[in-house]
Amino acid sequence: MFVIAIDGPAASGKSSVSRLLARKLGCLDVNSGSFYRAATWAVLDAALPLTDESAISSFIAAMDIQCTLQEGHTVLLLNGRDPDAHLRDAAVNKNVSRISSYPDVRRVLTNLLRSLGQRDSLVMEGRDIGSVVFPETPYKFYIDASEEVRAARRYAQGETDSIARRDAQDSSRKAAPLIISEDAHVIDSSHLTLEGVVSEIIGRLKMKGLNVTL
Ligand code: DC
């Protein structure tokens, strides 16, 4: 079993990269941001005051979170409800960095994410996968792209999302901030195609001795 960790800032292209890489390797693809987005949606839906860290932490700790696998992807149910249609709502984009800065929220989701790595080989993308969730994996990547390219990608997706603000919050928080792990292989995707990034990763995985059968 293997875990491939892919971290990077918002709209760096890491979700598309992870999806394609997992498809090529025939393993599970886990978008950890969708876990933080789902938790944020549940908090908004419950109308909890967003600055009340202790109420939000207790709410998340008490929540029934079911994570099942379907066609190589994770499917979440929070207290029996499917958050999927709301994960990219403007209100979620706006508040997800705040909710994911709360250490007790992170503890719950980190445990859940780690449990997936015990069940299956996977590609997991996020902000702290190589640094905190799976620090022991030898397969760590950090995907970056220039701010202009990232803003253009979000704009093309038609979303209201201030990625610069989110990046500043995600990088400056105390609990598991976005950092480049010392042992991560950094790829600037600004001028690369999706296939280009994925083949660079596959080349690196082979070099590191992972038995890649495509
Ligand atoms: O990958 P994304 O942009 O969908 O992630 C949404 C937010 O979730 C991101 O702004 C910060 C948070 N997040 C996190 O704190 N840790 C992760 N491993 C993944 C996402």
Coordinates of all heavy atoms in Angstrom, one line a residue, residues 3-55:
V3 N 0.9 5.8 0.0 CA 0.1 7.1 0.1 C 0.9 8.1 -0.7 O 2.1 8.3 -0.4 CB 0.0 7.5 1.6 CG1 -0.5 8.9 1.7 CG2 -0.9 6.6 2.3
I4 N 0.3 8.8 -1.6 CA 0.9 9.9 -2.3 C 0.3 11.2 -1.8 O -0.9 11.4 -1.9 CB 0.8 9.7 -3.8 CG1 1.4 8.4 -4.3 CG2 1.4 10.9 -4.6 CD1 1.1 8.0 -5.7
A5 N 1.1 12.1 -1.3 CA 0.7 13.3 -0.7 C 0.9 14.5 -1.7 O 2.0 14.7 -2.2 CB 1.4 13.6 0.6
I6 N -0.2 15.2 -2.0 CA -0.1 16.4 -2.9 C -0.6 17.6 -2.2 O -1.8 17.7 -1.9 CB -0.8 16.1 -4.2 CG1 -0.2 14.9 -4.9 CG2 -0.8 17.3 -5.1 CD1 -0.7 14.6 -6.3
D7 N 0.3 18.5 -1.9 CA -0.2 19.8 -1.2 C 0.0 21.0 -2.1 O 0.8 20.9 -3.1 CB 0.6 20.0 0.1 CG 0.2 18.9 1.1 OD1 -1.0 18.9 1.5 OD2 1.0 18.1 1.6
G8 N -0.6 22.1 -1.8 CA -0.4 23.3 -2.5 C -1.5 24.3 -2.2 O -2.5 24.0 -1.6
P9 N -1.3 25.5 -2.7 CA -2.3 26.6 -2.5 C -3.6 26.4 -3.3 O -3.6 25.5 -4.1 CB -1.6 27.8 -2.9 CG -0.6 27.4 -3.9 CD -0.2 26.0 -3.5
A10 N -4.6 27.2 -3.0 CA -5.8 27.1 -3.7 C -5.6 27.3 -5.2 O -4.8 28.1 -5.7 CB -6.8 28.2 -3.2
A11 N -6.4 26.5 -6.0 CA -6.4 26.6 -7.5 C -5.0 26.4 -8.1 O -4.8 26.9 -9.2 CB -7.0 28.0 -7.9
S12 N -4.2 25.6 -7.5 CA -2.9 25.3 -8.1 C -3.0 24.2 -9.1 O -2.0 23.9 -9.7 CB -1.9 25.0 -7.0 OG -2.3 23.9 -6.2
G13 N -4.2 23.6 -9.2 CA -4.4 22.5 -10.1 C -4.2 21.1 -9.5 O -4.3 20.1 -10.1
K14 N -4.0 21.1 -8.1 CA -3.8 19.9 -7.5 C -4.9 18.9 -7.5 O -4.7 17.7 -7.5 CB -3.2 20.0 -6.1 CG -4.1 20.8 -5.1 CD -3.4 21.2 -3.9 CE -4.3 21.7 -2.8 NZ -5.3 22.7 -3.3
S15 N -6.2 19.4 -7.5 CA -7.3 18.4 -7.6 C -7.3 17.7 -8.9 O -7.5 16.5 -8.9 CB -8.6 19.2 -7.4 OG -8.6 19.9 -6.2
S16 N -7.2 18.4 -10.0 CA -7.2 17.7 -11.3 C -6.0 16.8 -11.4 O -6.1 15.6 -11.9 CB -7.1 18.7 -12.4 OG -7.9 19.8 -12.2
V17 N -4.8 17.2 -10.9 CA -3.7 16.3 -10.9 C -3.9 15.1 -10.1 O -3.6 13.9 -10.6 CB -2.4 17.1 -10.3 CG1 -1.3 16.2 -10.1 CG2 -2.0 18.2 -11.3
S18 N -4.5 15.2 -8.9 CA -4.7 14.0 -8.1 C -5.7 13.1 -8.7 O -5.5 11.9 -8.7 CB -5.3 14.4 -6.7 OG -4.5 15.3 -6.1
R19 N -6.7 13.6 -9.3 CA -7.8 12.8 -9.9 C -7.1 12.0 -11.0 O -7.3 10.8 -11.1 CB -8.9 13.7 -10.5 CG -10.2 13.1 -10.3 CD -11.3 14.0 -10.8 NE -11.4 15.3 -10.0 CZ -11.4 16.5 -10.5 NH1 -11.2 16.7 -11.8 NH2 -11.4 17.5 -9.7
L20 N -6.4 12.6 -11.9 CA -5.8 11.9 -13.1 C -4.7 10.9 -12.6 O -4.7 9.8 -13.1 CB -5.2 12.9 -14.1 CG -4.6 12.3 -15.3 CD1 -5.6 11.5 -16.1 CD2 -4.0 13.4 -16.2
L21 N -3.9 11.3 -11.7 CA -2.9 10.4 -11.2 C -3.5 9.2 -10.5 O -3.1 8.1 -10.8 CB -2.0 11.2 -10.1 CG -0.9 10.4 -9.5 CD1 0.1 10.0 -10.5 CD2 -0.2 11.2 -8.4
A22 N -4.5 9.4 -9.7 CA -5.2 8.2 -9.1 C -5.8 7.3 -10.1 O -5.8 6.1 -10.0 CB -6.2 8.7 -8.1
R23 N -6.4 7.9 -11.2 CA -7.0 7.1 -12.2 C -5.9 6.3 -12.9 O -6.1 5.1 -13.1 CB -7.7 8.0 -13.2 CG -8.5 7.3 -14.3 CD -9.9 7.9 -14.6 NE -9.8 9.3 -14.9 CZ -9.4 9.9 -16.1 NH1 -9.0 9.1 -17.1 NH2 -9.4 11.2 -16.2
K24 N -4.8 6.9 -13.2 CA -3.7 6.2 -13.9 C -3.2 5.1 -13.0 O -2.8 4.0 -13.5 CB -2.6 7.1 -14.3 CG -3.0 8.0 -15.5 CD -1.8 8.8 -16.0 CE -2.2 9.7 -17.1 NZ -1.5 9.5 -18.4
L25 N -3.1 5.3 -11.7 CA -2.5 4.3 -10.8 C -3.5 3.3 -10.3 O -3.2 2.3 -9.7 CB -1.8 5.0 -9.6 CG -0.7 6.0 -9.9 CD1 -0.2 6.6 -8.6 CD2 0.4 5.3 -10.6
G26 N -4.8 3.6 -10.6 CA -5.8 2.7 -10.2 C -6.0 2.7 -8.7 O -6.3 1.6 -8.1
C27 N -5.9 3.8 -8.0 CA -6.0 3.9 -6.6 C -7.1 4.9 -6.2 O -7.6 5.6 -7.1 CB -4.7 4.2 -5.9 SG -4.1 5.8 -6.2
L28 N -7.3 5.0 -4.9 CA -8.3 6.0 -4.4 C -7.8 7.4 -4.5 O -6.6 7.7 -4.3 CB -8.6 5.6 -3.0 CG -9.6 6.4 -2.2 CD1 -11.0 6.2 -2.8 CD2 -9.6 5.9 -0.7
D29 N -8.7 8.4 -4.9 CA -8.4 9.8 -4.9 C -9.1 10.5 -3.8 O -10.3 10.4 -3.7 CB -8.8 10.4 -6.3 CG -8.8 11.9 -6.3 OD1 -7.8 12.4 -5.8 OD2 -9.7 12.5 -6.9
V30 N -8.4 11.1 -2.9 CA -9.0 11.8 -1.7 C -8.7 13.3 -1.8 O -7.6 13.7 -1.7 CB -8.6 11.2 -0.4 CG1 -9.4 11.9 0.8 CG2 -8.7 9.7 -0.3
N31 N -9.8 14.1 -1.9 CA -9.7 15.5 -1.9 C -10.0 16.0 -0.5 O -11.1 16.1 -0.1 CB -10.7 16.0 -2.9 CG -10.8 17.5 -2.9 OD1 -10.5 18.2 -1.9 ND2 -11.2 18.1 -4.1
S32 N -8.9 16.2 0.3 CA -9.2 16.5 1.7 C -9.9 17.9 1.9 O -10.5 18.1 2.9 CB -7.9 16.4 2.5 OG -7.0 17.5 2.2
G33 N -9.7 18.8 1.0 CA -10.4 20.0 1.0 C -11.9 19.9 1.1 O -12.6 20.6 1.7
S34 N -12.4 18.8 0.4 CA -13.8 18.6 0.4 C -14.3 18.2 1.8 O -15.5 18.5 2.2 CB -14.2 17.6 -0.6 OG -13.8 16.3 -0.3
F35 N -13.4 17.6 2.7 CA -13.8 17.3 4.0 C -13.9 18.6 4.8 O -14.9 18.7 5.6 CB -12.7 16.4 4.7 CG -12.7 14.9 4.2 CD1 -12.6 14.7 2.8 CD2 -12.8 13.9 5.0 CE1 -12.6 13.4 2.3 CE2 -12.8 12.6 4.6 CZ -12.7 12.3 3.2
Y36 N -13.0 19.5 4.6 CA -13.1 20.8 5.4 C -14.3 21.6 4.8 O -14.9 22.3 5.6 CB -11.7 21.5 5.2 CG -10.7 20.9 6.1 CD1 -9.8 19.9 5.6 CD2 -10.6 21.2 7.5 CE1 -8.9 19.3 6.4 CE2 -9.7 20.6 8.3 CZ -8.8 19.6 7.7 OH -7.9 19.0 8.5
R37 N -14.5 21.5 3.6 CA -15.7 22.2 3.0 C -17.0 21.6 3.5 O -17.9 22.4 3.9 CB -15.6 22.1 1.5 CG -14.6 22.9 0.8 CD -14.4 22.7 -0.7 NE -13.4 23.6 -1.2 CZ -13.6 24.8 -1.6 NH1 -14.9 25.4 -1.5 NH2 -12.7 25.6 -2.1
A38 N -17.0 20.3 3.6 CA -18.3 19.7 4.1 C -18.5 20.1 5.6 O -19.6 20.4 6.0 CB -18.1 18.1 4.0
A39 N -17.4 20.1 6.4 CA -17.6 20.5 7.8 C -18.1 21.9 7.9 O -18.9 22.3 8.7 CB -16.3 20.3 8.5
T40 N -17.5 22.8 7.0 CA -17.9 24.2 7.0 C -19.4 24.4 6.6 O -20.1 25.1 7.2 CB -17.0 25.0 6.0 OG1 -15.6 24.8 6.4 CG2 -17.3 26.5 6.0
W41 N -19.8 23.6 5.6 CA -21.2 23.7 5.2 C -22.1 23.2 6.4 O -23.1 23.9 6.7 CB -21.5 22.8 4.0 CG -22.9 22.6 3.8 CD1 -23.8 23.5 3.3 CD2 -23.7 21.4 4.1 NE1 -25.1 23.0 3.3 CE2 -25.0 21.7 3.8 CE3 -23.4 20.2 4.7 CZ2 -26.1 20.8 4.0 CZ3 -24.4 19.3 4.9 CH2 -25.7 19.6 4.6
A42 N -21.7 22.2 7.1 CA -22.5 21.7 8.2 C -22.6 22.8 9.3 O -23.7 23.0 9.9 CB -21.9 20.4 8.8
V43 N -21.5 23.5 9.6 CA -21.5 24.6 10.6 C -22.4 25.7 10.1 O -23.2 26.3 10.9 CB -20.0 25.1 10.8 CG1 -20.0 26.4 11.6 CG2 -19.2 24.0 11.5
L44 N -22.3 26.1 8.9 CA -23.2 27.2 8.3 C -24.6 26.7 8.4 O -25.5 27.5 8.8 CB -22.8 27.5 6.9 CG -21.4 28.2 6.7 CD1 -21.0 28.1 5.2 CD2 -21.5 29.6 7.2
D45 N -24.9 25.5 8.0 CA -26.3 25.0 8.0 C -26.9 25.0 9.4 O -28.1 25.2 9.6 CB -26.2 23.6 7.4 CG -27.6 23.0 7.2 OD1 -28.3 23.5 6.4 OD2 -27.9 22.0 7.9
A46 N -26.0 24.7 10.4 CA -26.5 24.7 11.8 C -26.6 26.1 12.4 O -27.0 26.3 13.5 CB -25.6 23.9 12.6
A47 N -26.2 27.1 11.6 CA -26.2 28.5 12.0 C -25.5 28.8 13.3 O -25.9 29.6 14.1 CB -27.7 29.0 12.0
L48 N -24.3 28.1 13.4 CA -23.5 28.4 14.6 C -22.7 29.7 14.4 O -22.3 30.0 13.2 CB -22.5 27.2 14.8 CG -23.1 25.9 15.2 CD1 -22.0 24.8 15.2 CD2 -23.8 26.0 16.5
P49 N -22.5 30.5 15.4 CA -21.7 31.7 15.3 C -20.2 31.3 14.8 O -19.6 30.4 15.5 CB -21.7 32.3 16.6 CG -22.6 31.6 17.5 CD -22.9 30.3 16.8
L50 N -19.7 31.8 13.7 CA -18.5 31.3 13.2 C -17.3 31.6 14.0 O -16.2 30.9 13.8 CB -18.4 31.9 11.7 CG -19.5 31.5 10.8 CD1 -19.3 32.1 9.5 CD2 -19.6 30.0 10.7
T51 N -17.4 32.5 14.9 CA -16.2 32.8 15.8 C -16.3 31.9 17.1 O -15.3 32.0 17.8 CB -16.2 34.3 16.2 OG1 -17.5 34.6 16.7 CG2 -15.9 35.2 15.0
D52 N -17.3 31.2 17.3 CA -17.4 30.4 18.5 C -16.7 29.1 18.3 O -17.3 28.0 18.1 CB -18.9 30.2 18.9 CG -19.1 29.6 20.3 OD1 -18.1 29.1 20.8 OD2 -20.2 29.7 20.8
E53 N -15.4 29.1 18.5 CA -14.5 27.9 18.3 C -15.0 26.8 19.1 O -15.0 25.6 18.6 CB -13.1 28.3 18.5 CG -12.1 27.1 18.3 CD -10.7 27.5 18.4 OE1 -10.4 28.7 18.4 OE2 -9.8 26.6 18.5
S54 N -15.3 27.0 20.4 CA -15.6 25.9 21.2 C -16.9 25.2 20.8 O -17.0 24.0 20.8 CB -15.5 26.3 22.7 OG -16.7 26.3 23.3
A55 N -18.0 26.0 20.5 CA -19.2 25.4 20.0 C -19.1 24.7 18.7 O -19.6 23.6 18.6 CB -20.3 26.5 19.8

